[in-house]
Amino acid sequence: MTLTLTVSDDVAALAPGFTHVAIEAAGLVNAPSDSASSALLDDAARRLSERLGSRAPHEDPHLNAWREAYAAFGAKPNRTRNSAEALARRAVADGGLPRINRLVDVYNAISVAHLVPVGGEDTDHIKGAMRLVRATGREPFHTVAGGEAVVEHPEAGEVVWCDDEGVTCRRWNWRQGVRTRLTEESVNALFLLEGMGPHCDLVTAGAELADLLEKFSPGARITVHAPVGGVVKE
């Protein structure tokens, strides 16, 4: 893997069922959301509805496992939802899923359809290796509040993804920072699919995401890495 990803021992001890699949992509072409990416999101919402039936998103076994992991590091699952649950709730609400840009729409569609947290990072803005750690509380996190750029800090003990310049995603996969997010100018990216326990199928979700990236960016170089850690459904 061109970009190194590590999970600290204390995070692994906190959630031994955690696993992830990384997809590296080079030569991508991004653009504003369009009818094709919008259709993917609509189809993902339909697939989610079929999967859930009459259940609420948090009643899915995989999302419930994420709630337990969040509670283990002190987050309140009803207030701080993992990214897959947050998207799923929007998918079943009247407002539906947001349209961001084509690349973000693609990975959000995979997240909703498979009920797994998926993130995308612009690798041209990542500094050094990426690490999943429990925060000290001093790490900088660049975000936006009230339309203004601000720097926040995670709580001590919070699980965060970070690189050499600070936090890239708070509370595991709750809120991504602006520094490394995918924009319409992004051409090189890392997509991270995250699972918790046995009730996820990262292999299938990752393969579908790779196929969509090739479809939306013909000629892009896509590398799907084998699952790391935890229990992965084959």
Side-chain angles (χ1 to χ4, degrees):
M1 181 181 290
T2 304
L3 181 67
T4 301
L5 299 177
T6 60
V7 177
S8 68
D9 290 342
D10 52 356
V11 172
L14 177 78
F18 173 65
T19 186
H20 60 83
V21 166
I23 299 176
E24 290 185 280
L28 295 166
V29 177
N30 203 4
S33 301
D34 57 15
S35 59
S37 68
S38 184
L40 278 181
L41 292 169
D42 289 340
D43 183 62
R46 177 192 60 76
R47 292 166 65 182
L48 172 66
S49 179
E50 292 178 353
R51 172 172 176 157
L52 291 176
S54 61
R55 296 177 301 163
H58 71 269
E59 294 177 293
D60 182 88
H62 187 223
L63 295 190
N64 186 59
W66 272 107
R67 282 186 161 225
E68 293 175 355
Y70 268 48
F73 69 83
K76 296 181 179 180
N78 285 330
R79 295 180 58 187
T80 304
R81 296 180 174 88
N82 70 81
S83 62
E85 182 179 338
L87 279 174
R89 285 169 58 87
R90 296 188 70 169
V92 300
D94 290 340
L97 290 164
R99 273 59 173 166
I100 309 298
N101 59 56
R102 283 174 31 125
L103 286 178
V104 175
D105 292 352
V106 165
Y107 78 70
N108 278 349
I110 294 297
S111 178
V112 169
H114 293 271
L115 277 186
V116 298
V118 183
E121 304 283 355
D122 188 321
T123 53
D124 291 327
H125 296 285
I126 293 173
K127 306 300 181 184
M130 287 190 64
R131 304 175 295 279
L132 186 67
V133 301
R134 301 198 73 174
T136 65
R138 298 186 297 273
E139 301 89 343
F141 176 70
H142 294 268
T143 186
V144 174
E148 300 292 331
V150 297
V151 177
E152 298 177 351
H153 299 276
E155 299 173 1
E158 182 181 321
V159 176
V160 297
W161 280 103
C162 63
D163 65 2
D164 290 351
E165 287 198 0
V167 174
T168 59
C169 196
R170 285 195 59 187
R171 294 179 188 167
W172 217 312
N173 46 45
W174 168 64
R175 179 186 294 172
Q176 184 182 31
V178 298
R179 176 169 57 89
T180 60
R181 67 184 176 184
L182 297 180
T183 69
E184 292 173 21
E185 289 72 44
S186 298
V187 294
N188 302 305
L190 171 75
F191 298 91
L192 192 64
L193 299 86
E194 299 180 288
M196 191 65 67
H199 300 289
C200 64
D201 190 353
L202 298 188
V203 173
T204 299
E208 185 176 349
L209 177 54
D211 288 344
L212 287 174
L213 292 173
E214 292 175 350
K215 175 182 176 181
F216 278 78
S217 294
R221 300 180 299 282
I222 312 295
T223 304
V224 181
H225 297 278
V228 176
V231 179
V232 181
K233 178 181 177 183
E234 295 292 347

